[in-house]
């Protein structure tokens, strides 16, 4: 990611809401408003599984709220910052959110699932095989409200792929008999 030239904030070791200048009460109100907006747009149901138990639905940010804190804002590309700044509620706008059941919200936050363009909408990409049952499932978003911003979904997909590239390109064959090294990784003479 290329940092924005306009961003000059210093990094802090704290990750609290104080970094953005809000009190605990303001934080609670902000989270409640974000959730209410998503509940209204998404019909009180998970946009992937259609699960509707209020107690297990999470208002998930596409671009994590932590990126909008002054210490992290520089990590976002300038075009993503501009998109977020154009929203009425910036990082807490419904175009930067999805209503997800708690398990899928955690997977989304960890980059284990993401979304790609498909059939005029967006479909689930299962980066972790545990979520393969959702692969290709189309997002169920109401047309009466602003849908998630497609560039934010694309950026989240890119971040998810990068987060999960551990071991990319390595060969993990099941046949250990053909190894040319001993148990300590030393090459064996043949």
């Amino acid at each position: 990611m290329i940092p924005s030239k306009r961003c000059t904030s210093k990094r802090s070791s704290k990750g609290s809401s104080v970094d953005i200048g809000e009190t605990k009460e303001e934080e609670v109100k902000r989270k409640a408003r974000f959730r209410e907006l998503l509940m209204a747009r998404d019909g009180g149901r998970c946009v992937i599984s259609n699960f509707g138990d209020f107690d297990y639905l999470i208002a998930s940010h596409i671009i994590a709220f932590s990126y909008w804190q002054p210490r992290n804002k520089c990590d976002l590309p300038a075009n993503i910052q501009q998109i977020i700044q154009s929203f009425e509620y910036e990082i807490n706008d419904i175009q930067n959110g999805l209503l997800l059941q708690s398990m899928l919200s955690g997977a989304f936050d960890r980059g284990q699932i993401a979304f790609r363009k498909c059939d005029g909408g967006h479909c689930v990409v299962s980066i972790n095989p545990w979520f393969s049952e959702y692969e290709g499932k189309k997002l169920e978003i109401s047309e009466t409200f602003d849908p998630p911003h497609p560039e934010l979904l694309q950026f989240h997909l890119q971040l998810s792929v990068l987060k999960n590239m551990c071991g990319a390109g390595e060969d993990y064959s099941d046949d250990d008999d053909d190894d040319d090294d001993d148990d300590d990784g030393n090459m064996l003479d043949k």
Side-chain angles (χ1 to χ4, degrees):
M1 287 178 269
I2 301 171
S4 168
K5 292 179 183 177
R6 294 183 11 222
C7 194
T8 59
S9 64
K10 294 183 181 179
R11 295 206 178 253
S12 160
S13 61
K14 294 181 180 178
S16 69
S17 59
V18 175
D19 288 349
I20 62 167
E22 68 182 6
T23 65
K24 191 66 172 169
E25 184 179 315
E26 290 169 331
E27 178 186 14
V28 169
K29 286 180 181 178
R30 172 184 51 80
K31 287 180 177 181
R33 182 183 67 233
F34 184 59
R35 190 168 198 261
E36 286 172 17
L37 290 169
L38 289 174
M39 291 290 283
R41 183 194 68 195
D42 300 338
R45 300 210 164 279
C46 173
V47 296
I48 297 174
S49 69
N50 207 25
F51 182 77
D53 188 332
F54 182 84
D55 292 333
Y56 296 99
L57 293 172
I58 308 291
S60 303
H61 287 90
I62 298 168
I63 303 301
F65 180 80
S66 62
Y67 272 117
W68 210 240
Q69 295 176 358
R71 65 190 176 92
N72 296 330
K73 204 181 258 191
C74 293
D75 292 341
L76 289 173
N79 67 316
I80 298 298
Q81 287 185 36
Q82 289 171 353
I83 290 168
I84 293 170
Q85 288 171 334
S86 73
F87 297 152
E88 181 178 357
Y89 296 112
E90 289 193 348
I91 198 76
N92 295 300
D93 196 89
I94 62 173
Q95 291 185 70
N96 184 42
L98 297 167
L99 194 60
L100 299 169
Q101 72 182 61
S102 56
M103 176 190 66
L104 294 173
S105 176
F108 184 72
D109 289 347
R110 290 186 302 275
Q112 296 175 334
I113 58 172
F115 300 93
R116 63 175 170 74
K117 289 182 182 180
C118 73
D119 301 327
H122 285 84
C123 296
V124 174
V125 174
S126 171
I127 296 169
N128 181 321
W130 283 37
F131 300 99
S132 60
E133 69 183 278
Y134 300 105
E135 180 72 34
K137 183 150 178 29
K138 193 169 181 179
L139 273 177
E140 297 180 25
I141 303 288
S142 168
E143 298 297 322
T144 59
F145 292 96
D146 291 328
H149 196 284
E151 287 183 58
L152 299 184
L153 289 172
Q154 178 62 34
F155 184 68
H156 180 271
L157 173 61
Q158 292 168 347
L159 287 176
S160 298
V161 169
L162 290 173
K163 281 181 185 179
N164 290 282
M165 284 187 64
C166 178
E170 292 188 26
D171 180 25
Y172 293 103
S173 64
D174 291 323
D175 188 8
D176 290 332
D177 295 335
D178 294 334
D179 288 345
D180 290 338
D181 55 58
D182 63 15
D183 291 337
D184 296 324
N186 301 315
M187 293 301 293
L188 298 174
D189 294 327
K190 287 200 171 192

